[in-house]
Amino acid sequence: MPVKNMDELVSLCKRRGFIFPGSDIYGGLQGTYDYGPLGVELKNNLKAAWWRAMVYERDDVEGLDASILTHKLVLRHSGHEATFTDPMVDCRNCQSRWRADHVVNGRCERCGSDDLTEPRPFNMMFKTTIGPIADEDSYGYLRPETAQGIFTNFKNIVDSTSRRLPFGVAQIGKAFRNEITPRNFIFRVREFEQMELEYFVKPGSDEEWHRHWVETRLQWWRDQGLLSDNLQAYNQEPDELAHYAKATVDILYRFPHGLEELEGIANRTDFDLGSHTRNQADYNLTAKVDPNEDSTAKLVIPDPDTNKPIVPYVIEPSAGVDRGVLAVLTEAYTHEELDNGKERVVLKLRPHLAPIKVAILPLARNRPEIVDKAKGIKRELQALGFGRVFYEDTGNIGKGYRRHDEVGTPFCVTVDFDTLGQGDDSALKDTVTIRDRDTMAQERVPISELAEYVRSRLQA
Ligand code: GAP
C-alpha cells in the first residue's frame, strides 16, 4: 500500500529526522522547512544523482554556482520586476490573503466568506537592502530562479571553456519566492532549491532539443524510482506560459495532494540572453525584448554553420529539489502486511538515494569484542565511498530492523557471538548476518566478502 495521505509522510519525516518545520521552537515560519539528519542525506543524494547525470555522464555540460543575491538590473532586464507576479485577493471579512487561482468556489479558505477583493498582481521576489546604507536605490533581490546566474555568466563561461553550440550549464541552488499561500508540506515553500540546466542551441534546432530534454528528464525521474503511471508530461497552454517561454512541458507527478508539477522544461528562445545583451539591434533576435543600455555584454556565440555571432536559444529543464524529495518519499513509502499478521512501514528508496546505505548492529553493546568488530566493519564499508554507513549499538536488533525499514536503509549487518567464533557453530566464525530491507531475507556472509556483497548490490 502506498502512502495514504500527506499527514502520514509529514509525521514520518518529523519522527525519523527527515524534515522539520522551519523556526519550529518559535511557532514555525510559514513556507520554510529544515532538513534533518536523514533529510540532508536524501536531498544530497538526489542532487548528486542529478549532477552525475547532467554533468559527469555528458560531455556537453559545465557546472556553475552563482550568487543568490542578485543585482536589481538583472531582474529588471529578465522581466521579473515587471511580470513575476501571482494574482492575489483579500478577504474583506477576515483580512486574510489568497492566491486568486487557489480560491475554491469564490470563498475564503479561512472564514468561508465570499466577500473577496478583485485579483491584483503580487510580485513574489524577496527584496532586500544591500550594504550599510538603506536608501531607495540600495536594494537587490534574493534570486527567484537560479537560471539568471547562468545567463549573466554566459560570456564568462564561453570565454573560459571555449564551448561551442550546443552546450549546457548546470546549477543547483536555493531560490526564493514570497508565495502568497505556501502549502502541501515541501511542495510549495518560500525557500527551496532548484536543479536547473540551461542548454544553449542554434535557433531552429530548439524544438528537437526540447523533445530530447523532455524524454531525458522523464527517464531520469524513472531512474530515481518514480513509476511511469505516476508521471505525466503536460504541454502548457499559451495563456499558462511564463513571460519568457515559447513552449513549456511540465513533468507532473502524482503527489499525495494530487497530480502537480515536479519539473518544467521550457523553450526560453533567445529571450534571456537577448534581454541581457547591449546593442540588441545588431542581432536578429526573435523574442520581443526591451532595449538594454545597462549591460556591458554581448551574450553571443558563433553560429556553428556560418561562424557569425548569434544569440542562441535555450532549452531549460528546471526541477525542484524539494518537490523531488517529496516525490521519491511518496513513491517509496510502503505499508506492508506481513505473513505473521504484523505490519511494517518500509521506505523502498532506490539504494543510491537511501540516507543510510548500511547499518551495523552489534548484538551486544557491553561486549568490547563485538563492539570492536562491528566498528571495524563500519570503517571498512564507510571507506567504499557509497555514502553513510551507520553504527548503532542500541542492542535491540528487532527494533533496529524496524527503524531502518522506516528510513529506507537497504542493508543491516548484525555482528554476533558466532562472528567471534563463540557460538555453537564454529563454521560461522568471521561471518555476519546481512538483512535485505525489501525481502527481509537474512544471509550469512563472510566478512571478507562483505564489501563486494554491498558494492554489487548498491550499484545494481
Ligand atoms: N527557471 C525556471 C523556473 O524557475 P518554475 O516552473 O517557476 O521555472 C521550476 O520553477 C521548478 O522549481 C518547479 O517545477 C518546481 O519543481 C520548483 N518550484 C517552483 N516554485 C516552488 C516553490 N514555491 N516551492 C517548491 N518548489 C518550487
Side-chain angles (χ1 to χ4, degrees):
M1 251 198 313
V3 65
K4 284 196 223 84
N5 56 48
M6 193 75 97
D7 293 345
E8 243 176 356
L9 214 52
V10 173
S11 152
L12 174 88
C13 284
K14 176 138 193 202
R15 192 160 33 90
R16 292 297 186 202
F18 281 90
I19 301 165
F20 310 123
S23 306
D24 203 10
I25 62 167
Y26 289 99
L29 179 64
Q30 220 197 352
T32 65
Y33 284 91
D34 299 337
Y35 285 77
L38 297 186
V40 65
E41 299 289 343
L42 171 57
K43 195 184 194 200
N44 282 343
N45 291 340
L46 188 69
K47 292 191 284 184
W50 186 89
W51 196 263
R52 249 190 333 267
M54 302 299 257
V55 183
Y56 296 163
E57 289 170 8
R58 303 183 64 95
D59 297 313
D60 55 354
V61 174
E62 302 286 353
L64 180 74
D65 182 13
S67 51
I68 289 170
L69 281 175
T70 307
H71 199 297
K72 54 183 171 298
L73 289 177
V74 171
L75 292 155
R76 187 164 307 156
H77 289 290
S78 69
H80 284 81
E81 272 193 344
T83 59
F84 197 61
T85 57
D86 270 341
M88 177 177 69
V89 293
D90 287 309
C91 171
R92 290 198 185 90
N93 186 47
C94 72
Q95 276 71 52
S96 58
R97 291 191 152 165
W98 305 101
R99 218 175 104 167
D101 54 336
H102 287 173
V103 169
V104 182
N105 298 328
R107 293 199 171 268
C108 169
E109 202 174 290
R110 186 189 290 162
C111 71
S113 165
D114 62 359
D115 191 5
L116 306 178
T117 61
E118 284 302 305
R120 62 192 187 286
F122 171 77
N123 193 299
M124 290 198 289
M125 288 199 293
F126 280 99
K127 202 172 189 178
T128 187
T129 302
I130 297 180
I133 299 165
D135 61 25
E136 61 181 27
D137 223 27
S138 58
Y139 69 92
Y141 297 100
L142 303 187
R143 65 184 177 198
E145 58 171 3
T146 70
Q148 293 304 322
I150 299 180
F151 300 133
T152 54
N153 277 292
F154 180 79
K155 189 168 172 355
N156 290 332
I157 293 168
V158 171
D159 289 351
S160 56
T161 63
S162 306
R163 283 286 178 185
R164 292 290 173 258
L165 294 180
F167 79 99
V169 180
Q171 177 168 217
I172 300 177
K174 292 264 184 177
F176 300 82
R177 297 183 188 177
N178 197 3
E179 295 282 352
I180 300 165
T181 41
R183 56 178 62 195
N184 294 318
F185 194 28
I186 51 171
F187 178 82
R188 187 176 307 285
V189 282
R190 292 185 168 132
E191 173 177 343
F192 55 98
E193 272 187 278
Q194 293 184 313
M195 309 184 279
E196 297 201 301
L197 174 74
E198 305 302 324
Y199 195 78
F200 301 102
V201 304
K202 180 179 157 99
S205 66
D206 50 308
E207 291 181 7
E208 199 180 326
W209 277 111
H210 198 188
R211 284 192 291 277
H212 164 87
W213 278 111
V214 171
E215 283 315 310
T216 304
R217 295 301 305 146
L218 274 167
Q219 184 53 47
W220 186 82
W221 283 114
R222 289 192 282 264
D223 294 343
Q224 308 319 305
L226 306 190
L227 291 179
S228 298
D229 282 354
N230 293 330
L231 287 165
Q232 196 174 302
Y234 167 76
N235 260 298
Q236 285 192 8
E237 297 293 335
D239 64 346
E240 296 174 299
L241 292 172
H243 62 277
Y244 48 70
K246 161 178 156 182
T248 297
V249 177
D250 287 339
I251 295 181
L252 309 181
Y253 177 72
R254 203 173 307 285
F255 290 100
H257 63 284
L259 190 63
E260 290 235 43
E261 180 185 337
L262 170 64
E263 170 162 352
I265 301 155
N267 182 343
R268 292 179 79 134
T269 71
D270 50 13
F271 179 88
D272 298 274
L273 293 184
S275 297
H276 291 306
T277 287
R278 196 182 177 88
N279 298 337
Q280 293 148 344
D282 296 350
Y283 307 99
N284 187 23
L285 293 185
T286 58
K288 200 170 165 298
V289 299
D290 292 331
N292 183 348
E293 298 311 317
D294 297 315
S295 167
T296 55
K298 296 175 177 185
L299 302 181
V300 297
I301 193 165
D303 180 308
D305 302 315
T306 65
N307 229 21
K308 284 203 182 115
I310 56 164
V311 177
Y313 268 34
V314 65
I315 305 299
E316 177 198 60
S318 171
V321 178
D322 310 77
R323 288 188 191 179
V325 167
L326 184 58
V328 295
L329 282 172
T330 303
E331 193 75 59
Y333 187 101
T334 313
H335 197 265
E336 277 184 357
E337 286 186 13
L338 305 177
D339 292 343
N340 61 8
K342 292 191 174 158
E343 295 179 351
R344 72 166 182 158
V345 168
V346 52
L347 270 192
K348 295 194 169 178
L349 292 166
R350 289 273 162 105
H352 71 280
L353 295 177
I356 297 170
K357 307 303 178 197
V358 187
I360 315 292
L361 313 172
L363 188 67
R365 62 178 155 187
N366 52 1
R367 295 293 293 266
E369 328 85 278
I370 290 191
V371 167
D372 286 351
K373 193 61 134 187
K375 286 190 168 169
I377 292 172
K378 182 227 140 108
R379 279 194 297 275
E380 189 192 346
L381 296 186
Q382 189 63 68
L384 293 177
F386 281 114
R388 190 164 190 197
V389 178
F390 195 76
Y391 171 82
E392 181 176 285
D393 62 359
T394 55
N396 186 329
I397 303 298
K399 271 193 181 164
Y401 286 164
R402 275 196 295 285
R403 191 166 44 252
H404 282 285
D405 283 347
E406 259 199 338
V407 303
T409 307
F411 299 108
C412 287
V413 169
T414 307
V415 180
D416 55 20
F417 292 102
D418 287 327
T419 312
L420 303 176
Q422 295 173 4
D424 296 337
D425 187 349
S426 61
L428 296 181
K429 186 168 185 305
D430 290 327
T431 66
V432 288
T433 301
I434 186 156
R435 174 187 180 269
D436 183 285
R437 176 195 70 195
D438 296 341
T439 63
M440 294 189 290
Q442 299 187 20
E443 257 185 273
R444 204 77 201 180
V445 176
I447 294 173
S448 58
E449 292 170 20
L450 195 55
E452 192 44 44
Y453 183 101
V454 169
R455 186 206 309 276
S456 60
R457 282 158 182 82
L458 286 180
Q459 274 179 336

